[in-house]
Amino acid sequence: MKKGDKNTNRSKDEALAHLLQDNGLKITQGRISILEVFSKYHKPLNAEGVSKYLKGNKVDEATIYRTLKSFEEKGILRRVDLRNDSVYFEMNEGHHHHHHLVCKQCGDIEDVDVCEIDRLSKMALMNSSKFKLILDHSLEFFGVCKACNKG
Amino acid sequence: MKKGDKNTNRSKDEALAHLLQDNGLKITQGRISILEVFSKYHKPLNAEGVSKYLKGNKVDEATIYRTLKSFEEKGILRRVDLRNDSVYFEMNEGHHHHHHLVCKQCGDIEDVDVCEIDRLSKMALMNSSKFKLILDHSLEFFGVCKACNKG
DNA sequence: GATCAGATGCAACTCATTTGCATCTTTTAA
DNA sequence: TTAAAAGATGCAAATGAGTTGCATCTGATC
């Protein structure tokens, strides 16, 4: 472990604790551990996956499910539709779909809302007879990765 | 029932029968009935929904599940991800590529045509290090329909 | 029409997710 | 600082969508 990791971890946990607090959830070791997993692995996980990565910090299955649900309700996690048979979640970091523009000279970074999803949303609304408000969307692509495509 | 409906229904069923035949599936009353449901209601349905609409033409639950699965495998139905707890399907009418608006409150679903998906797919591929082939995608919008938005 | 692969219904089963409940921990308010 | 209240947890039992084994039936093929 590198020098400073301890402090880094502590401040990370403090941030996670605040996240809970800000959402009116009690700060418990289990919740922190679950948030750490999502924060560490940066990928969609289902309850089983969370459990697997919790390793030493075991949390009861029922608690994991309850936690994922409450995190989703609070907007801490967002549900991801991957055509799987179980429900996956990932950290919901503010803007759902965004990329970055980085300045080569000064290093300044700008977030950009992806792919014209906003415009697509507007188009969808314009085409709709029943809706006038879109809160959210899901856009997932399905294909074959290069590794699998070698065969 | 309007004049001509009988013939219309017969020819419709014949078309559905052909659909089965072309996909190497035996033509059975149950399968025709299930296809009729999808063809009539034009909206994503899960096994329960299909069962409900089958009314007189009851088909065993297990058969419905098996049928939905085989229809998906053959490309007759396509799976739709609506953040529901069960799996929804709709007719996969090649030409008519569309997505959905889903009301988060009442669950009502509206089809929307939103094109430019091809371009988004290309963008996604360009941004990907692991993929060079996208076969499919899902794009669904979640909001509140006008009816629910009155409150 | 006989034969056979495939389709169906039924009942039993699986497995992800949920729930009831007693116990424990965090938060709160004194 | 501490006691009470509110909320979180673990465990075990329950739920419910979806699956499977099996005997029976039906559509396709000859």
Side-chain angles (χ1 to χ4, degrees), chain A residues 18-36:
Chain A
H18 265 108
L19 186 56
L20 293 174
Q21 205 162 38
D22 293 349
N23 283 286
L25 296 170
K26 287 184 178 167
I27 299 164
T28 68
Q29 188 48 55
R31 285 172 175 172
I32 294 287
S33 300
I34 291 173
L35 285 179
E36 278 174 342

Side-chain angles (χ1 to χ4, degrees), chain A residues 79 81 83 85 115-116 119-120 127-130 133 135-144 146, chain B residues 81 83 85 108 110 113-114 116 119-120 129-130 133 135-140 142-144 146:
Chain A
R79 193 166 172 154
D81 300 306
R83 298 188 189 171
D85 290 331
C115 336
E116 305 148 52
R119 195 161 53 76
L120 285 184
N127 283 313
S128 166
S129 60
K130 293 184 184 170
L133 175 62
L135 298 169
D136 201 359
H137 62 266
S138 84
L139 170 60
E140 318 297 343
F141 295 96
F142 302 93
V144 182
K146 287 175 184 168
Chain B
D81 300 305
R83 296 189 189 169
D85 291 329
D108 194 18
E110 185 182 5
D113 290 293
V114 193
E116 303 177 49
R119 197 158 52 75
L120 284 185
S129 61
K130 290 186 185 169
L133 174 61
L135 298 170
D136 200 1
H137 63 269
S138 86
L139 171 59
E140 316 297 341
F142 301 91
V144 182
K146 287 174 183 169

Side-chain angles (χ1 to χ4, degrees), chain A residues 100-110:
Chain A
H100 301 99
L101 281 170
V102 182
C103 175
K104 282 182 148 186
Q105 291 187 25
C106 69
D108 193 18
I109 298 172
E110 185 184 5

Side-chain angles (χ1 to χ4, degrees), chain A residues 72 78-81 96-97 136-140, chain B residues 80-86 88 102 104 140-142:
Chain A
E72 187 194 10
R78 72 184 193 95
R79 193 166 172 154
V80 185
D81 300 306
H96 295 185
H97 296 280
D136 201 359
H137 62 266
S138 84
L139 170 60
E140 318 297 343
Chain B
V80 184
D81 300 305
L82 300 177
R83 296 189 189 169
N84 278 297
D85 291 329
S86 73
Y88 281 66
V102 183
K104 285 183 151 182
E140 316 297 341
F141 298 95
F142 301 91

